[in-house]
Amino acid sequence: MKKLCLTLISFFFVLNCFAQEPVQSQEDATIAETDIIAEEDCTAVEPLMINPEAYHLELRNDTLVVVCDPDLTMPKHIVIRSNDRENIYRKMFNDQTDDLMEDHPAEDIYNKIWTSERVNPYQIPIDSIPDSTIINVSNFVMPVPGYITSKFGPRKYRMHFGTDIKLQIGDSIRCAFDGQVRIVDYEPKGYGHYVVVRHDNGLETVYAHMTRPLCEVNDRVFAGDIIGLGGNTGRSTGPHLHFEIRYLGNAINTELLINYDTKQMKDSTYTITKKQTFYHQKQIQAQKSAKYVTIRQGDSLSVIARRNGTTVSRLCQLNGIKPTSTIRAGRKLRVR
Ligand SMILES: [Zn+2]
């Protein structure tokens, strides 16, 4: 209701402004004081949304500048000064993606499955994923600006399905694309406080180890929205964001899409292919079939090999050791 009132007030303010202010010179690229129509209240942009082709938005420091079509009888620039940077941020991205709003492939991709129960409720094998699906990733905002502390890929006894990004406790975590919050939950031995968002473009993202989520299930969220605060909850050994990108429940190495130096997508679209996108399937299969044994007192590699129906060279290959390496009782050794 408050928002509606503000919008209405702003709307009349805009109308009033047009009636009183002279049309700015079209050559005048600087922002004139007379262009200022609203302070601390960027809802004034909303009436302009009626005609989105007539203007574009530019964010200059903390000031949102609405640059109008020179043919229109309205000021060349409408400047909105605001402390509400988050709101401006959101509006900017909304505007930039107006032409993309029409395609919401997520609805088709996920059919009617909408649950907060599990990160991957779909259980769709990679082989059934259609090849060469093109995903629009142009509307991307880097969730946190830090560097990678741990990459996607196999770990000793499991698969690391995300990319770990450095942050400080309490840092803002931003939503990567427009979408809807599917899960807000807490897993003390895993993700800690985490959020899963289903995006309009068909991807889903996971944000884990938060101190505190700042969104609720079913919230409509936009790229750049703050959805939580960074932390060190769950299975985590230092403050970081564990960030996952998934498609139909299957994790994708985020580095295939994101350039972590520029904090941007490598391209405006990403094509999902079984071979390249899910290159890590062989690693997952190998890990699923992996078998570990605990080394007993007096064991040697050849004894362990014989007992488990394998060879010393295979044991060395699986564990990255040499036939002459010392093995210690109580430690684990991979035998398959
Ligand atoms: Zn991680």
Side-chain angles (χ1 to χ4, degrees):
M1 192 59 202
K2 191 183 163 205
K3 197 175 175 195
L4 182 67
C5 285
L6 280 172
T7 308
L8 284 172
I9 291 164
S10 311
F11 186 57
F12 288 116
F13 200 52
V14 168
L15 286 180
N16 213 13
C17 194
F18 290 165
Q20 288 171 6
E21 297 298 335
V23 176
Q24 296 295 299
S25 151
Q26 287 178 16
E27 290 76 44
D28 181 15
T30 59
I31 304 163
E33 200 60 23
T34 50
D35 293 332
I36 298 171
I37 61 158
E39 299 236 6
E40 313 257 349
D41 171 22
C42 55
T43 55
V45 185
E46 282 171 16
L48 294 166
M49 297 293 178
I50 297 161
N51 187 4
E53 281 81 45
Y55 70 95
H56 69 273
L57 302 179
E58 284 175 27
L59 187 62
R60 300 177 192 172
N61 299 321
D62 276 339
T63 304
L64 181 70
V65 182
V66 184
V67 183
C68 296
D69 185 331
D71 296 334
L72 293 175
T73 46
M74 56 165 68
K76 188 174 177 184
H77 301 106
I78 297 169
V79 181
I80 294 153
R81 295 193 197 284
S82 174
N83 294 326
D84 188 0
R85 218 191 142 132
E86 297 314 319
N87 206 5
I88 287 178
Y89 207 82
R90 183 170 72 78
K91 283 175 193 303
M92 276 211 61
F93 279 100
N94 275 357
D95 183 59
Q96 283 176 356
T97 57
D98 260 358
D99 52 336
L100 307 173
M101 291 305 273
E102 283 169 11
D103 75 324
H104 278 223
E107 283 172 27
D108 290 335
I109 293 167
Y110 295 94
N111 209 345
K112 295 264 184 289
I113 303 171
W114 180 263
T115 166
S116 295
E117 288 298 305
R118 274 185 296 164
V119 173
N120 178 9
Y122 320 112
Q123 300 301 320
I124 293 172
I126 304 296
D127 286 340
S128 334
I129 288 179
D131 230 333
S132 304
T133 305
I134 297 172
I135 305 284
N136 185 338
V137 291
S138 58
N139 173 28
F140 171 75
V141 172
M142 192 69 198
V144 289
Y147 56 88
I148 296 175
T149 56
S150 182
K151 287 171 174 278
F152 177 100
R155 293 269 174 93
K156 199 165 182 186
Y157 300 114
R158 64 197 168 94
M159 189 75 186
H160 185 230
F161 284 119
T163 304
D164 292 347
I165 312 170
K166 182 71 187 163
L167 52 65
Q168 305 294 324
I169 287 178
D171 279 359
S172 300
I173 294 172
R174 293 178 189 278
C175 189
F177 307 99
D178 294 354
Q180 192 168 10
V181 177
R182 184 162 71 77
I183 304 176
V184 178
D185 207 349
Y186 178 62
E187 262 185 17
K189 288 180 183 164
Y191 285 138
H193 286 289
Y194 73 103
V195 168
V196 177
V197 181
R198 159 116 28 113
H199 301 291
D200 302 341
N201 64 9
L203 298 176
E204 292 194 315
T205 49
V206 181
Y207 310 80
H209 309 310
M210 288 177 173
T211 296
R212 183 155 74 96
L214 294 175
C215 56
E216 287 173 20
V217 169
N218 294 328
D219 276 357
R220 176 78 184 146
V221 284
F222 297 92
D225 279 357
I226 295 175
I227 53 171
L229 301 178
N232 189 25
T233 59
R235 184 152 86 180
S236 172
T237 53
H240 73 279
L241 172 69
H242 170 94
F243 177 55
E244 296 181 7
I245 296 180
R246 288 175 180 256
Y247 180 73
L248 280 166
N250 293 291
I252 300 173
N253 183 351
T254 67
E255 286 185 82
L256 292 177
L257 292 86
I258 302 168
N259 178 337
Y260 279 86
D261 292 327
T262 62
K263 319 290 179 201
Q264 284 173 355
M265 281 284 148
K266 291 178 176 172
D267 209 339
S268 58
T269 58
Y270 178 74
T271 306
I272 292 186
T273 62
K274 278 176 244 189
K275 205 172 167 191
Q276 268 133 28
T277 307
F278 299 107
Y279 70 91
H280 54 281
Q281 282 314 294
K282 278 187 189 144
Q283 297 169 337
I284 293 177
Q285 284 310 321
Q287 276 200 326
K288 273 185 185 161
S289 59
K291 188 189 165 195
Y292 293 84
V293 296
T294 305
I295 300 165
R296 300 176 200 166
Q297 203 66 249
D299 268 355
S300 67
L301 283 176
S302 57
V303 168
I304 297 169
R306 214 176 310 128
R307 198 192 296 138
N308 292 281
T310 185
T311 62
V312 170
S313 64
R314 179 68 183 143
L315 287 181
C316 291
Q317 191 192 359
L318 283 171
N319 296 279
I321 55 173
K322 291 179 188 152
T324 52
S325 297
T326 315
I327 54 165
R328 289 193 177 84
R331 294 261 180 98
K332 284 194 187 303
L333 199 70
R334 186 169 167 188
V335 296
R336 195 162 68 211

